[in-house]
Amino acid sequence: MIASHVDLTPYNTFGIQVFAKEFASFSTVAQLHKLVNSNREKELFILGGGSNILFTQDFNGLILRNEILGKEVVQEDETHVYIKAGAGENWHQFVLYCIENNWGGIENLSLIPGSIGASPMQNIGAYGVEIKDVFHELEAYHIPSGEIKTFSHEECAFGYRESVFKRALKGQYVILNVTYKLTKHNHRLKTTYGDIEAELSSKNITTPTIRDISNAVIAIRQSKLPDPKEIGNAGSFFKNPVVEKSVLEKIRINYPNVPSYPVDDNHVKLPAGWLIDTAGWKGKRIGDHGVHTKQALVLVNYSDAKGQQIYDLSTAILEDIYARFGVELEREVNIL
Ligand code: FAD
Ligand code: EPU
């Protein structure tokens, strides 16, 4: 059933109030097919959990909310389990389900909001792990033809917060399900990133399980990222920029302690949060919106901000960071 003039406030974690001209949910491919076929002339938008979107205006088309559920082990061998999950399943609940079954590989991605279907879109990542590390394949519905295609790892063209679905095939496919390849034992734990080791040792954990790592990641995230149920946000607003080493050297003249991560012989990744923080934006509040007090990479809506105001703030930050450091930031959040 298609609803008209739907308030999207509960459907985006920024909590921005805009209206969709039309809105419908689907939980089967047949329903999706019917909705697409009878609304071809309209602008369509596929919505998951709404945790990586900034609405700057009302949406003048049809929003299709993916609610395809289901989890199924499709293949198993001595070392690995291949588990297929419906695109509408909640990501964090899925992570907890895998930990419950002692299947390893996604524990570092605990507490990321959103859906299974969006996880390959921007190759979600945190604490040293990205979806590409555990991805096996996905099935997606081709909007123009109605055909279902299986995408291999290679065909998804994963990069840092990137995939083919954000680039060459943007807007063409609805991801229906994703199959992940997880370890059954001898899990390859990634504990060296960031504060994970410190968090584990504060709990006197020397031989961590995947559940210990998940708990550590949850604790670290809760200490710096705002909970969208309390303060509207979409996580990191910008990507961490990859720059030439010469740019880093220039910044080092004034800021000898600038953090950086090696990418290749000529490039490094800079933490955008550090740049924005160092430029003095952290905690800045303008009326109802601003920059989070504990993480400068996160823009927030305190109650009734407009999406355009948050977008304008992001533009002011982009311009300032370029003027100060000669570094161009790129927005990570999808702007609508
Ligand atoms: P949505 O916001 O609904 O959609 C995002 C994009 O994907 C849209 O373009 C949409 O059209 C498209 N899309 C969604 N579902 C489908 C589908 N089934 N088929 C085709 N296209 C689809 N991200 C990280 O990578 N790492 C983090 O650590 C992280 N931390 C976060 C912390 C917080 C507090 C918040 C609010 C966000 C964070 N994010 C993080 C961003 C976000 O959670 C992820 O990008 C997530 O995968 C978005 O899922 P979603 O279902 O909410 O997608
Ligand atoms: N930093 C500051 N000030 C700040 C924020 C960060 O100086 O206000 C510095 C930190 O001290 C640290 C560095 O910047 O040296 C990196 O900070 P952090 O570890 O918090 O991670 P991040 O680079 O800001 C990235 C991802 C997050 C992911 C975390 C953990 C991007 C764009 N963001 O954040 O993903 O959870 O690492 O792996 O890559 C998201 O995509 O929405 C997201 C939250």
Side-chain angles (χ1 to χ4, degrees):
M1 200 197 71
I2 298 181
S4 296
H5 195 62
V6 171
D7 183 352
L8 295 179
T9 314
Y11 296 106
N12 72 99
T13 59
F14 251 123
I16 302 291
Q17 186 173 47
V18 288
F19 289 83
K21 188 170 180 192
E22 294 185 323
F23 185 102
S25 301
F26 60 92
S27 52
T28 64
V29 181
Q31 286 172 359
L32 169 66
H33 192 59
K34 209 171 156 193
L35 281 163
V36 168
N37 265 345
S38 46
N39 293 282
R40 288 217 170 268
E41 74 292 354
K42 296 175 190 164
E43 187 185 353
L44 303 177
F45 183 77
I46 309 302
L47 182 67
S51 64
N52 205 23
I53 291 174
L54 176 67
F55 286 110
T56 58
Q57 54 190 327
D58 288 342
F59 185 74
N60 200 25
L62 170 61
I63 294 214
L64 295 174
R65 185 157 199 264
N66 193 327
E67 292 180 0
I68 296 177
L69 299 179
K71 298 188 281 287
E72 186 193 352
V73 173
V74 287
Q75 195 185 324
E76 202 170 353
D77 57 31
E78 205 29 55
T79 52
H80 290 91
V81 65
Y82 294 74
I83 175 157
K84 178 171 164 179
E89 291 280 346
N90 174 271
W91 172 258
H92 179 59
Q93 293 309 317
F94 178 71
V95 173
L96 295 180
Y97 173 81
C98 292
I99 291 169
E100 199 61 45
N101 284 285
N102 194 31
W103 297 328
I106 50 176
E107 54 283 354
N108 294 49
L109 303 177
S110 296
L111 213 62
I112 297 181
S115 60
I116 288 281
S119 67
M121 281 297 294
Q122 67 153 7
N123 179 26
I124 56 168
Y127 299 97
V129 174
E130 291 180 321
I131 275 301
K132 70 170 174 51
D133 304 331
V134 293
F135 178 90
H136 178 59
E137 64 182 24
L138 65 77
E139 282 185 305
Y141 173 91
H142 188 228
I143 295 175
S145 68
E147 278 166 20
I148 294 175
K149 176 176 161 56
T150 301
F151 283 81
S152 66
H153 196 293
E154 201 183 351
E155 286 170 312
C156 290
F158 292 123
Y160 165 59
R161 297 294 191 274
E162 283 296 348
S163 76
V164 73
F165 303 104
K166 272 184 91 174
R167 296 279 167 189
L169 301 180
K170 192 175 161 122
Q172 288 194 39
Y173 281 93
V174 182
I175 295 168
L176 302 171
N177 57 64
V178 184
T179 304
Y180 307 93
K181 181 182 175 185
L182 303 178
T183 49
K184 286 163 70 172
H185 36 74
N186 297 336
H187 305 305
R188 264 171 267 124
L189 305 181
K190 295 226 173 144
T191 57
T192 49
Y193 186 96
D195 309 323
I196 296 184
E197 263 172 5
E199 183 62 32
L200 291 172
S201 62
S202 78
K203 300 267 182 317
N204 294 319
I205 297 169
T206 45
T207 47
T209 62
I210 54 174
R211 187 180 294 280
D212 292 328
I213 291 182
S214 170
N215 287 339
V217 167
I218 289 172
I220 299 163
R221 293 180 69 96
Q222 284 175 335
S223 72
K224 50 181 159 186
L225 290 169
D227 178 351
K229 286 194 199 94
E230 287 155 23
I231 304 175
N233 76 95
S236 302
F237 201 90
F238 303 98
K239 291 185 185 181
N240 286 328
V242 173
V243 299
E244 291 199 359
K245 276 186 172 168
S246 58
V247 176
L248 172 67
E249 294 314 325
K250 267 193 207 149
I251 298 173
R252 266 203 186 128
I253 296 169
N254 292 322
Y255 305 95
N257 298 324
V258 51
S260 67
Y261 318 108
V263 171
D264 59 34
D265 285 351
N266 299 318
H267 295 89
V268 291
K269 197 187 262 186
L270 298 175
W274 181 89
L275 295 170
I276 298 168
D277 187 355
T278 304
W281 289 94
K282 190 162 164 175
K284 192 172 173 63
R285 181 170 177 163
I286 311 131
D288 254 355
H289 66 291
V291 180
H292 188 47
T293 51
K294 295 180 190 157
Q295 226 300 2
L297 202 44
V298 179
L299 304 189
V300 293
N301 170 19
Y302 287 105
S303 58
D304 292 324
K306 301 270 173 240
Q308 188 61 45
Q309 292 176 309
I310 291 170
Y311 184 81
D312 291 347
L313 172 62
S314 75
T315 304
I317 292 172
L318 278 174
E319 289 173 357
D320 187 43
I321 297 306
Y322 187 70
R324 279 174 198 264
F325 301 107
V327 174
E328 260 182 82
L329 294 182
E330 188 189 337
R331 293 181 184 86
E332 193 232 68
V333 170
N334 298 283
I335 311 293
L336 271 150

